[in-house]
Amino acid sequence: GMSKKDNTFHSILCSPLEHPAIREPFQKQLNINEFNGFCDVDKNGIIKLESLPKSDYLITHHVQSEIGLIQPIKEIKERVKFLFCDMSQSLGKIPVNVTQLDVDIAVFGAHKFGGWGGVGFMYLKDPQYWIPFGTGSRYFTDRTGTPDVASIAATAEALKESIDNFKERDNNCKEFKEILELGLKERNWEIIGENAPRSNNTTFCRLPSQAVIKLMALSDKGIYCGLGSACGSHSSGLSPSLKSLGFEGVAHDFMRISQWGNYNGKDAKYFLEILDKC
């Protein structure tokens, strides 16, 4: 249940671009009468607000992992009763304030902002949303046993650092992205979600039948990109996100170029120079 006060689900919608780690558990645990399916999105993947009034509960990402789309969370929350927000891609990449956004539950993965792998945390607007499970023993699967204090402490330090140096990194990302995407379009690449609000650290682009060849050639020259998000790197078909946006083809038609803010416009020009040699 969502709360000790009221553990009754009424209707639930999910963004079709949500990560499988969030989407699939809800689909499996809720019966068909409770899970109403996916809300509508526009051609860029942004949730259509008019598709939400029928939903009491919504599950959605804040920043989408493959394309970097930023959902209008505050406006969305005004249309739904309860919002579960996946913010794993947000911290360190865009400004985040859970109070201003009025989310009910937010989840974060530490490795996305330089923290320790396997560490994450949750924000609960109301502490009563938390329902204790089991005794905390590894045998009751509530947690894995003794907490990894060192990793948690390292994650806290990584989070502090990512916030302290955010402005400088974001400026680098913005400069890199603007020069890179202009150059890619001049070379006939399509920028996915080009006109939608996106985080500055990610560019997702399409060049049918050639993207994977370019990607491998870039790798030989010391520039490493991906066909999509790392979580889907073993899949040769289109991701559910791209299918929901109406794309056809295979994963090899796309390239994802992302960074943490270590590169700026000078590096974008270098990237394009090397791309031309591939």
Side-chain angles (χ1 to χ4, degrees):
M2 288 288 189
S3 171
K4 291 180 180 178
K5 297 176 182 178
D6 176 15
N7 62 3
T8 302
F9 290 106
H10 300 281
S11 64
I12 296 179
L13 287 176
C14 181
S15 165
L17 280 75
E18 179 53 271
H19 194 285
I22 300 292
R23 183 183 69 245
E24 291 178 2
F26 276 92
Q27 286 180 281
K28 292 176 181 178
Q29 293 185 33
L30 302 178
N31 64 50
I32 194 168
N33 295 322
E34 293 166 335
F35 185 76
N36 291 69
F38 300 104
C39 54
D40 296 330
V41 296
D42 65 19
K43 63 181 181 180
N44 290 312
I46 301 299
I47 292 174
K48 293 181 178 179
L49 296 178
E50 62 270 21
S51 71
L52 299 177
K54 60 184 179 181
S55 174
D56 292 309
Y57 298 92
L58 177 69
I59 305 157
T60 185
H61 60 272
H62 187 198
V63 175
Q64 203 269 347
S65 59
E66 293 164 287
I67 307 169
L69 300 171
I70 303 173
Q71 296 291 356
I73 295 300
K74 191 170 183 179
E75 290 79 5
I76 287 172
K77 183 56 171 67
E78 294 173 354
R79 306 294 288 265
V80 299
K81 177 180 178 181
F82 195 97
L83 181 60
F84 180 102
C85 194
D86 173 8
M87 291 188 163
S88 294
Q89 293 286 348
S90 305
L91 276 183
K93 298 169 185 175
I94 66 171
V96 175
N97 187 313
V98 291
T99 305
Q100 290 180 0
L101 295 175
D102 196 28
V103 297
D104 295 287
I105 294 181
V107 291
F108 304 86
H111 70 289
K112 296 297 184 181
F113 54 80
W116 214 262
V119 177
F121 54 93
M122 299 176 69
Y123 161 80
L124 304 176
K125 182 178 178 180
D126 183 343
Q128 293 193 76
Y129 297 153
W130 181 264
I131 298 175
F133 174 77
T135 63
S137 164
R138 69 185 69 190
Y139 303 109
F140 292 95
T141 67
D142 193 17
R143 58 183 174 88
T144 55
T146 305
D148 185 351
V149 177
S151 296
I152 295 170
T155 291
E157 187 62 26
L159 177 56
K160 181 180 183 302
E161 182 176 339
S162 72
I163 293 173
D164 289 345
N165 63 26
F166 168 75
K167 187 174 181 179
E168 178 183 355
R169 290 188 298 99
D170 189 51
N171 286 338
N172 284 343
C173 285
K174 183 178 181 181
E175 187 178 294
F176 180 91
K177 174 183 169 185
E178 289 175 349
I179 294 175
L180 173 72
E181 293 188 358
L182 179 61
L184 289 174
K185 288 190 293 182
E186 290 174 347
R187 292 160 175 79
N188 298 317
W189 290 73
E190 177 186 1
I191 308 301
I192 309 303
E194 179 181 3
N195 298 317
R198 289 181 291 137
S199 59
N200 287 322
N201 75 301
T202 296
T203 293
F204 197 57
C205 48
R206 178 173 180 257
L207 188 65
S209 304
Q210 297 184 51
V212 68
I213 299 171
K214 297 288 188 180
L215 181 144
M216 290 188 291
L218 284 169
S219 177
D220 290 340
K221 297 180 183 298
I223 297 178
Y224 305 101
C225 304
L227 296 176
S229 64
C231 305
S233 58
H234 287 178
S235 175
S236 60
L238 279 183
S239 72
S241 298
L242 292 176
K243 288 180 181 178
S244 70
L245 296 181
F247 284 100
E248 297 180 350
V250 295
H252 291 178
D253 296 335
F254 298 85
M255 185 187 296
R256 180 175 183 261
I257 305 161
S258 62
Q259 62 146 324
W260 180 238
N262 299 317
Y263 306 113
N264 57 25
K266 172 177 60 71
D267 300 294
K269 292 176 182 177
Y270 175 77
F271 181 102
L272 294 169
E273 289 174 5
I274 298 300
L275 183 66
D276 289 337
K277 297 178 181 178
C278 295

